[in-house]
């Protein structure tokens, strides 16, 4: 019905939905989006962290907190590192 030159998803939901049907959209128009599997990785901090650890891409120090115990370990480790750093 319409002659659409370019599709630009603008929010999370439209990005995910369009990435699922990217191949269909590309048959009729251009779209600036990655495939669905890549979108799922970049939209999830834990998956993105695991992906980046496998690469040589620099990124901020990050932790995956899944349980309360994980938080306690990370918190205590950072407090101790901060205290040791301030005493040097």
């Amino acid at each position: 019905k319409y002659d659409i030159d370019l599709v630009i998803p603008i929010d999370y939901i439209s990005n995910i939905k369009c990435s699922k049907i990217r191949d269909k959209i590309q048959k009729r128009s251009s779209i600036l989006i990655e495939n669905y599997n890549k979108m799922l990785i970049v939209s999830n901090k834990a998956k993105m962290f695991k992906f980046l650890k496998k690469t040589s891409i620099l990124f901020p120090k990050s932790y995956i907190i899944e349980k309360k115990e994980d938080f306690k370990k990370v918190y205590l480790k950072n407090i101790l590192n901060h205290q040791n750093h301030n005493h040097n």
Side-chain angles (χ1 to χ4, degrees), residues 1-4 28:
K1 188 174 180 179
Y2 296 101
D3 188 23
I4 300 171
R28 297 176 168 256

Side-chain angles (χ1 to χ4, degrees), residues 11-69:
D11 66 0
Y12 173 76
I13 292 171
S14 63
N15 270 285
I16 294 298
K17 286 183 177 185
C18 286
S19 70
K20 274 187 167 180
I21 60 169
R22 182 180 88 158
D23 293 339
K24 289 181 183 178
I25 294 170
Q26 286 179 326
K27 289 178 183 175
R28 297 176 168 256
S29 179
S30 295
I31 184 166
L32 303 172
I33 198 164
E34 272 295 344
N35 69 48
Y36 181 69
N37 291 330
K38 288 181 183 176
M39 291 298 294
L40 290 179
I41 292 171
V42 299
S43 64
N44 179 297
K45 289 181 183 180
K47 288 180 182 179
M48 185 68 174
F49 172 71
K50 288 175 183 175
F51 171 80
L52 288 171
K53 280 179 65 173
K54 297 176 189 174
T55 71
S56 60
I57 299 170
L58 298 176
F59 62 97
K61 183 183 264 187
S62 303
Y63 302 95
I64 298 173
I65 308 285
E66 294 175 347
K67 301 176 284 202
K68 206 182 257 189
E69 293 78 32

